[in-house]
Amino acid sequence: MKHTFSTVEELVAFVVRAEKCNCDVKVVYNQLVIDGKSLMGIMIIGIGKQVEIICYNAAVSPEELVGSAA
């Protein structure tokens, strides 16, 4: 899924949720692939940039991690 983090708080909340998953979560920006459980790694990308979030488990959706699940 494509997503743009608009605040630092939203980014931190995403990492906290990702850390609770028992699967790999990757955040991709251009050709840079970051571990979704690494706050420092995702902070390198920063806010306001569109990233792709990939979960390597069908039971976990990226929408749940960013808090936009219906």
Side-chain angles (χ1 to χ4, degrees):
M1 105 172 241
K2 302 279 186 184
H3 184 71
T4 303
F5 293 105
S6 56
T7 65
V8 173
E9 291 80 13
E10 180 185 7
L11 195 144
V12 171
F14 166 80
V15 172
V16 168
R17 286 189 211 79
E19 288 175 336
K20 294 178 182 177
C21 294
N22 59 356
C23 65
D24 285 341
V25 177
K26 299 294 181 190
V27 177
V28 181
Y29 176 70
N30 290 336
Q31 295 180 357
L32 184 64
V33 179
I34 303 288
D35 181 2
K37 298 178 183 184
S38 169
L39 180 59
M40 291 300 288
I42 296 178
M43 291 295 280
I44 290 170
I45 297 171
I47 59 174
K49 297 177 182 150
Q50 187 177 46
V51 297
E52 182 177 5
I53 300 170
I54 304 169
C55 294
Y56 291 95
N57 185 339
V60 178
S61 74
E63 290 83 3
E64 293 172 1
L65 296 178
V66 296
S68 64

